[in-house]
Amino acid sequence: MSTVPDPSVRTATVTLRYWAAARHAAGTDSDAVEVTGPIPLSELLATARAAHEGRRFADVLACCSVMVGDRPVTTDDPTTVLVQPGQSVEFLPPFAGG
């Protein structure tokens, strides 16, 4: 049984961007996630892990610094961080060098 989309529900995109080792482990530099409103960062993390199954990606993601827009959120509880439609989430692994 198929459902008819509700025209009153508008979707927007949250862009997940992967840098350096995260990009390599994901095999892409970004993913677009369709949302219908604000979404907890924890759900976006779960979506990213599901899209790029494999221990390497999960391990890299676990050590990444995370920014929502231009705000670092690494120390915040991801269940309490709301990402707004249209925002981007950046996953930044530790970098070597100086």
Side-chain angles (χ1 to χ4, degrees), residues 31-46:
D31 287 314
V33 179
E34 293 295 316
V35 298
T36 58
I39 184 170
L41 178 59
S42 58
E43 287 186 34
L44 292 169
L45 286 164

Side-chain angles (χ1 to χ4, degrees), residues 8-93:
S8 67
V9 175
R10 297 192 188 274
T11 61
T13 303
V14 169
T15 303
L16 308 180
R17 290 195 178 102
Y18 311 113
W19 296 93
R23 178 179 58 220
H24 181 71
T28 186
D29 63 352
S30 65
D31 287 314
V33 179
E34 293 295 316
V35 298
T36 58
I39 184 170
L41 178 59
S42 58
E43 287 186 34
L44 292 169
L45 286 164
T47 298
R49 286 185 193 106
H52 306 286
E53 291 183 14
R55 179 137 179 106
R56 174 149 168 69
F57 180 73
D59 287 348
V60 171
L61 210 59
C63 70
C64 284
S65 297
V66 179
M67 295 184 69
V68 174
D70 61 357
R71 182 179 147 229
V73 295
T74 304
T75 58
D76 295 336
D77 177 355
T79 62
T80 65
V81 176
L82 286 180
V83 180
Q84 300 297 321
Q87 284 190 303
S88 63
V89 179
E90 313 283 332
F91 295 97
L92 304 152

